Amino acid sequence: MAAGPTTAEKSGASRPNGSSDRSPRGGDGEAREGRFRVPGPRPLLICSALILLVASGIWALYGSSWFRVERVTTSGTRVLTPREVEEVAAVPMGAPLVSVDTDAIEARLAERLPRVDTVDVVRSWPHGIGLRVTERKPVLLLEKGRRFVEVDSAGTRFATVDRAPRGVPKLVLDASASPSLRRFDTDRLLAEAVVVAGELPKKVAVDTRVVRVTSYDSITLELSGGRTVFWGSGEDGEVKARVLSALMKATPKAGHFDVSAPTAPAATGS
């Protein structure tokens, strides 16, 4: 009786030449060929067009004469002149508009022109730079010899002028004898005076000639016609302003008003 095929023979019969009996479902070569297919002409044309477009845009902004600085305009000046502002701004004429360093221009103006509160440097395509200036406004004046130092609403001393601007009260700091001077120095008293000046009723502000400060809680307003207002400290300013308006309306002929304690105001003299 003949022996049946061995296990090796069976294996050899089912896998001739030692190959797997799994039928191929697309060879590796075909997969690689599909995965790394060379792009056709259309994608290449699109990429080339995009590269050309970007290169053209860069050349137009930086290399061409189409978008270069040809003029500078200044707006918002009141005391300063546009020429003063533009000289300090030093905008590079003829430079590509896109490359102008607007932050550097703003920094120069802030450093060299203290009267400038804020400035916006804007590009005005295709050839302009605009300087939009906001100047500081004085709310008080400090006498300095025969000249006047302007102080704005933030307490900043920003300019010294020969002539006092019209409608701006003088500030007199006379706190040398104040026992609280060590606690509230002249800068703090100046700040308090600025706060008071900003909270005055409009009619009172127009009539105020002098703001006199002798201590933190002793601020007096000297008005036109020899009238005075004892304001006290800078606290409760809005309340004091309302009380003062009502008091002056009720006693129009009074010469002295006291709103240092707004719950108990007083008017005296005539």
Side-chain angles (χ1 to χ4, degrees):
M1 185 176 181
T6 66
T7 303
E9 289 174 340
K10 290 180 180 180
S11 175
S14 59
R15 298 184 184 91
N17 300 324
S19 61
S20 172
D21 63 344
R22 289 176 296 178
S23 60
R25 299 179 183 177
D28 291 343
E30 291 179 6
R32 283 195 295 270
E33 184 178 332
R35 190 177 303 127
F36 300 108
R37 184 174 299 167
V38 176
R42 184 175 180 183
L44 289 176
L45 287 175
I46 293 175
C47 289
S48 299
L50 289 174
I51 293 172
L52 181 62
L53 183 62
V54 171
S56 299
I58 294 173
W59 174 83
L61 290 173
Y62 290 94
S64 74
S65 60
W66 299 344
F67 304 109
R68 293 185 176 267
V69 180
E70 295 182 1
R71 65 180 181 276
V72 179
T73 58
T74 302
S75 60
T77 55
R78 298 172 66 251
V79 177
L80 296 169
T81 65
R83 183 175 180 179
E84 288 177 300
V85 174
E86 290 164 17
E87 285 180 354
V88 173
V91 178
M93 302 301 291
L97 193 60
V98 71
S99 70
V100 173
D101 190 342
T102 58
D103 290 338
I105 294 173
E106 292 175 5
R108 281 196 295 272
L109 290 171
E111 179 182 359
R112 296 176 55 186
L113 294 177
R115 187 175 291 278
V116 173
D117 187 12
T118 61
V119 59
D120 291 326
V121 181
V122 295
R123 294 179 178 86
S124 180
W125 299 93
H127 301 298
I129 289 289
L131 308 175
R132 300 173 182 171
V133 175
T134 301
E135 293 184 9
R136 299 181 189 273
K137 296 180 181 179
V139 297
L140 290 172
L141 299 173
L142 282 168
E143 286 191 84
K144 186 179 181 180
R146 295 185 178 181
R147 307 183 75 192
F148 302 91
V149 178
E150 295 179 304
V151 182
D152 71 0
S153 59
T156 302
R157 309 179 197 196
F158 64 90
T160 301
V161 295
D162 295 325
R163 306 179 76 177
R166 189 174 181 180
V168 182
K170 297 176 185 178
L171 170 62
V172 177
L173 290 173
D174 186 17
S176 57
S178 171
S180 61
L181 187 58
R182 289 185 179 180
R183 182 180 178 188
F184 304 106
D185 59 15
T186 54
D187 288 339
R188 176 64 184 276
L189 297 179
L190 170 62
E192 290 299 311
V194 167
V195 171
V196 171
E199 293 179 330
L200 295 178
K202 186 175 182 179
K203 290 184 178 180
V204 176
V206 171
D207 284 341
T208 301
R209 300 291 179 263
V210 175
V211 176
R212 187 178 300 274
V213 182
T214 56
S215 69
Y216 175 80
D217 56 1
S218 182
I219 300 175
T220 301
L221 313 176
E222 298 178 9
L223 312 182
S224 61
R227 296 170 299 159
T228 60
V229 177
F230 183 57
W231 193 270
S233 71
E235 299 174 2
D236 300 321
E238 293 184 3
V239 177
K240 291 178 180 179
R242 291 196 299 268
V243 170
L244 179 60
S245 294
L247 189 62
M248 296 181 88
K249 186 175 181 180
T251 57
K253 294 183 179 181
H256 178 71
F257 305 89
D258 186 341
V259 293
S260 57
T263 55
T268 59
S270 62

